Amino acid sequence: MSNFVSSWAKNIVTLPENYVMPPDKRPNEHVSTGNNIPVIDLAKASSSTINHAELVQGILKASQEFGLFQIINHGVSEKLMDDVIDLFKELFDMSVEMKDKLFSEDSNKRCKVFGNRYINGEIRYWRDLLIQPVFPIQEDTQHWLENPARYRELVETYSTEVRKLCAMIVELIGEGLGVELGEELIKDQALGANYYPTCPDPSSAMGSPPHCDPNIITFLQQQVYGLQIFKDGQWIGVHPLPYAFVVIIGYQMQIISNNKLVACEHRAITNSESGRITLGTFVSPAGDCVVEPAKALVNGDSPALYHAFIYEEFMNNFIAGKEPQKKLALNA
């Protein structure tokens, strides 16, 4: 059997045993409709001083209460967003032979294309995944895929446009917190493309598990529903808005804000009606960057809640499943 779910999932009517989640990990809880997910209209960013202040406060409030919001009128062209989704549809639709040549779990490889991943030894997630560093761009393009056609061109253009948007949102968050979030905090950028094929039994499978992102901030492009967040003891659905980005606060932003903002716990479910492609842009500090609560947010009434740490060490522990954000908490 191919390493990629997308290579054989369309031909089955029963979920393979090694994709059936344990009962306590299945997405079978009651899920809220998510009608109150914050939506931020970036058209207000420069229209007036009053609107700008409202925009900053709206982003800050959403980041405090949900750790997530959707943005519209963000300036990234709809055609570019469509073209990149189509590009990855083409990639995941390639022949078994072509995809298996791309398959890799080599941690040293710059552009990695994974098949289905294991959990708890033998149980697997119902997805295929590509991970690729995209910034600094000049350091990586020689390692990018050459197929499908226009891959390098489209991914570079898309990543550059989304990076501008990421930088703007991080700046607005810093403005709301009253701190300067420097360039070293958004030094690195990666693109993750997830493909969740049509699933014969969505109630027993899982696309991706509950987790918080370890980086500063994530921008997610989705066209088909599947994203859920955990808030106030329940799962809430984040339904796609046309050509919106979902902005997800990561652990580093929670730590730098000294818990004034919250990292958003989220997961991806599957469905039996259609496949789902999402594109995640992950912005992170440089590996040698020292991360700690912003000094402007630490005082006698609000002491630091986390130790200072090197981001690369944090990531090594995170990948190893050691929950470093808890170990760094001073009150743990």
Side-chain angles (χ1 to χ4, degrees):
M1 183 177 285
S2 169
N3 289 308
F4 293 91
V5 183
S6 55
S7 295
W8 48 263
K10 67 181 74 172
N11 300 318
I12 66 170
V13 294
T14 303
L15 191 68
E17 184 176 347
N18 59 340
Y19 287 87
V20 177
M21 290 287 124
D24 62 335
K25 296 184 182 300
R26 297 177 190 175
N28 52 7
E29 303 97 332
H30 171 73
V31 175
S32 170
T33 56
N35 292 331
N36 59 343
I37 298 294
V39 178
I40 305 296
D41 186 351
L42 291 185
K44 299 178 180 179
S46 58
S47 56
S48 73
T49 301
I50 294 175
N51 283 343
H52 180 81
E54 291 177 350
L55 174 72
V56 171
Q57 288 308 307
I59 290 174
L60 199 65
K61 186 172 186 289
S63 301
Q64 291 168 333
E65 295 183 3
F66 288 82
L68 172 146
F69 50 91
Q70 299 202 65
I71 54 174
I72 58 175
N73 296 320
H74 43 68
V76 179
S77 81
E78 295 179 0
K79 183 179 186 306
L80 178 59
M81 295 176 75
D82 284 339
D83 285 349
V84 174
I85 289 288
D86 289 343
L87 177 78
F88 283 100
K89 283 180 180 176
E90 184 179 348
L91 186 148
F92 289 117
D93 279 343
M94 289 194 305
S95 69
V96 174
E97 293 75 19
M98 291 185 70
K99 279 190 292 193
D100 281 346
K101 289 179 181 178
L102 301 176
F103 177 77
S104 174
E105 293 192 353
D106 180 358
S107 60
N108 295 315
K109 190 173 181 180
R110 297 292 282 166
C111 181
K112 296 179 277 291
V113 184
F114 298 100
N116 32 73
R117 307 301 302 281
Y118 285 104
I119 177 176
N120 295 337
E122 294 299 325
I123 307 301
R124 295 183 171 206
Y125 297 119
W126 192 259
R127 69 166 177 177
D128 293 336
L129 167 67
L130 175 144
I131 291 287
Q132 176 187 312
V134 292
F135 190 88
I137 286 175
Q138 63 274 16
E139 297 178 5
D140 292 315
T141 51
Q142 62 179 316
H143 303 290
W144 293 13
L145 303 181
E146 297 182 14
N147 291 301
R150 296 187 67 205
Y151 181 92
R152 294 183 178 185
E153 174 191 347
L154 279 175
V155 169
E156 179 173 350
T157 301
Y158 179 82
S159 298
T160 300
E161 291 302 305
V162 177
R163 182 171 182 79
K164 294 175 187 175
L165 190 56
C166 290
M168 182 177 72
I169 295 297
V170 169
E171 182 179 350
L172 291 170
I173 289 174
E175 184 179 337
L177 290 171
V179 301
E180 184 175 347
L181 301 176
E183 284 289 325
E184 71 279 3
L185 296 177
I186 56 171
K187 175 70 174 176
D188 292 334
Q189 180 179 332
L191 179 68
N194 289 286
Y195 178 51
Y196 307 95
T198 303
C199 181
D201 184 7
S203 66
S204 298
M206 180 64 75
S208 64
H211 67 284
C212 293
D213 291 344
N215 49 299
I216 284 281
I217 199 167
T218 299
F219 279 60
L220 184 75
Q221 180 183 341
Q222 61 167 354
Q223 293 179 326
V224 176
Y225 170 65
L227 176 65
Q228 297 177 346
I229 66 172
F230 194 69
K231 183 180 187 298
D232 299 330
Q234 66 176 333
W235 287 100
I236 302 172
V238 182
H239 292 270
L241 297 177
Y243 299 105
F245 283 100
V246 181
V247 181
I248 303 171
I249 300 299
Y251 278 137
Q252 305 311 305
M253 192 71 83
Q254 176 174 318
I255 291 166
I256 291 166
S257 73
N258 208 32
N259 278 7
K260 288 180 171 56
L261 309 183
V262 297
C264 176
E265 184 177 3
H266 54 287
R267 69 183 186 183
I269 61 170
T270 63
N271 73 79
S272 59
E273 303 298 323
S274 67
R276 175 174 180 258
I277 287 180
T278 65
L279 301 179
T281 296
F282 305 93
V283 178
S284 308
D288 59 357
C289 180
V290 177
V291 180
E292 61 184 335
K295 290 181 171 53
L297 301 178
V298 174
N299 53 53
D301 296 324
S302 181
L305 299 177
Y306 298 93
H307 297 283
F309 57 91
I310 303 296
Y311 180 65
E312 184 175 17
E313 295 175 359
F314 178 100
M315 281 303 301
N316 289 339
N317 286 322
F318 181 86
I319 293 169
K322 296 180 180 179
E323 296 188 289
Q325 73 285 355
K326 293 183 179 179
K327 296 181 183 299
L328 291 166
L330 288 167
N331 59 354

